[in-house]
Amino acid sequence: MTFNAVREELEQAFQRIVGVDASLDEQLRAFSDATRQSRPDFAEAIDRLVKRLRENGAGTSAPRPGELMPPFHLPDENGHIVSLDRLLAKGPVGVTFHRGHWCPYCRININALSLAQKKIASQDGQIVAIMPDRQQFVSELKSAGKVPFPILTDMDNGYALSLNLAIWLGAEMQKMLEGRRDLPSFQGNNSWILPIPATFVVGTDGLIKARFVDPDYRKRMAIDDLLAALKS
């Protein structure tokens, strides 16, 4: 099967998955299964990447519950600077990190967060998404997905680096993505560094109430867990 045929097949799988009434975890697992079926070589490369990251303790030194969430000042999809302090003045915040607009797992995650927006807002909670993509691509993602919360650009993964969340994809994964996902154009650099997808629920006192950090980007914080943490 050609690359274009595989890409179309996975895009169709993505559209089917986000259209069903299922939990975020079920949707992520369904897309992971579809990828393993269509591109077993890529799925196995992801497994090796995750194994390497776990063995090296990737993400384990990120801020923990009970600690103060480091502040940020980052531009949104319109170029306006958004700060954690100003968000917390309105209520608790779920700070979510994503690999980029091109990542189907991130799109599934952001779609699930968008669908949960009313429940989140009913608890005076907020969501903010952070990714290393340049403003053009962030704006396209927000518009196409009708995302109701801000998406911020973390240029060169500066904020993710400060939280010990940034990882190098590695030579094998870089080779598999080159020519298929133009990360240098998306990010404005050729570092091939991405954030570990993570969620931090931050209370109005600035302290982290809950976190989800997993070097396996096919896994994300459950929406129910996020809602419970915001409520607490």
Side-chain angles (χ1 to χ4, degrees), residues 64-79:
R64 296 178 176 277
E67 297 178 356
L68 193 68
M69 185 69 179
F72 61 72
H73 292 79
L74 298 170
D76 67 10
E77 66 280 352
N78 296 312

Side-chain angles (χ1 to χ4, degrees), residues 28-39:
L28 293 170
R29 281 192 282 109
F31 191 80
S32 178
D33 291 343
T35 301
R36 195 172 295 278
Q37 181 175 350
S38 296
R39 288 202 61 195

